Amino acid sequence: MEIKDRVLIVEDDKSIRNFIRAILEANNYDVMIASTGTEAYSIITSRCPDLVILDLGLPDMDGIRILKQVREWSGMPVIVVSARTHEKDKVEALDLGADDYITKPFGTSELLARIRTAIRHSRTSYPAPDGGLTGTFQAGGLVIDYDKHRVYVDGNDANLTQNEFKLVGLLGKYAGKVLTYDFLIKEIWGPNMENNNRILRVNMANIRRKLEKNPAQPRYIFTEVGVGYRMLDPD
């Protein structure tokens, strides 16, 4: 099963929006679009894209407001693409948590490279045992490949869905630490799904069927009753 990274383009200029969309779809991304800040935030909180390309000059609000709102609850990658070239605009966006800032006009190769880098960093930001950063996590027969967006058990692809991978990847990022139900729900489905544990339980049950030989006696992901879930410490 192929899992495509979901990218939200927030841009009110139709020609630029269509140009970026064509580039991304040609490079195997799943693309969503929004032309206003209100529409963008609704998509972000309901679908939690893997990356947001954010214009600052939106018709209903400044894009900086969207960035601030997202950073209140999520670390999802946000790349600002703007015609604003003043240093103060760049500094403000980066200080508020933008992962990158690209000024218009820009090259296709540059945009794709910045997207790949931002997504890769978002998936490899957990500490390895030696204190460095790594693109893979391994615990026993379980391997999470953050670069390939795949999870393997005893060498076999577990064929996780996109949200299942996000859950396992997040647990691997904080391996050994209990992640609460609310934290997991907010990170994967956004703040509008807060306190809806049912969708989390369904996804976790599906994950365990794919990862565990005996889901009733898990080896990799453990339940802390009434609190959340914990991933086995890495090797």
Side-chain angles (χ1 to χ4, degrees), residues 110-128:
E110 178 188 12
L111 176 63
L112 291 171
R114 301 285 188 96
I115 290 172
R116 288 194 298 268
T117 298
I119 291 177
R120 183 171 65 248
H121 284 173
S122 75
R123 292 181 182 145
T124 59
S125 59
Y126 65 89

Side-chain angles (χ1 to χ4, degrees), residues 22-61:
I23 293 171
L24 297 187
E25 288 181 342
N27 284 272
N28 215 30
Y29 289 97
D30 180 11
V31 179
M32 300 174 285
I33 59 174
S35 58
T36 68
T38 301
E39 183 184 10
Y41 195 65
S42 175
I43 294 173
I44 290 169
T45 56
S46 62
R47 299 193 61 186
C48 279
D50 294 290
L51 180 135
V52 178
I53 294 175
L54 178 64
D55 181 32
L56 298 182
L58 300 174
D60 58 338
M61 67 179 73

Side-chain angles (χ1 to χ4, degrees), residues 186-210:
K186 185 173 68 173
E187 286 293 314
I188 305 302
W189 290 280
N192 291 346
M193 292 294 291
E194 199 168 0
N195 299 321
N196 184 352
N197 286 357
R198 182 179 179 279
I199 190 171
L200 177 59
R201 290 197 303 270
V202 169
N203 276 266
M204 195 57 68
N206 291 335
I207 288 169
R208 282 191 165 137
R209 280 195 292 270
K210 296 177 180 180

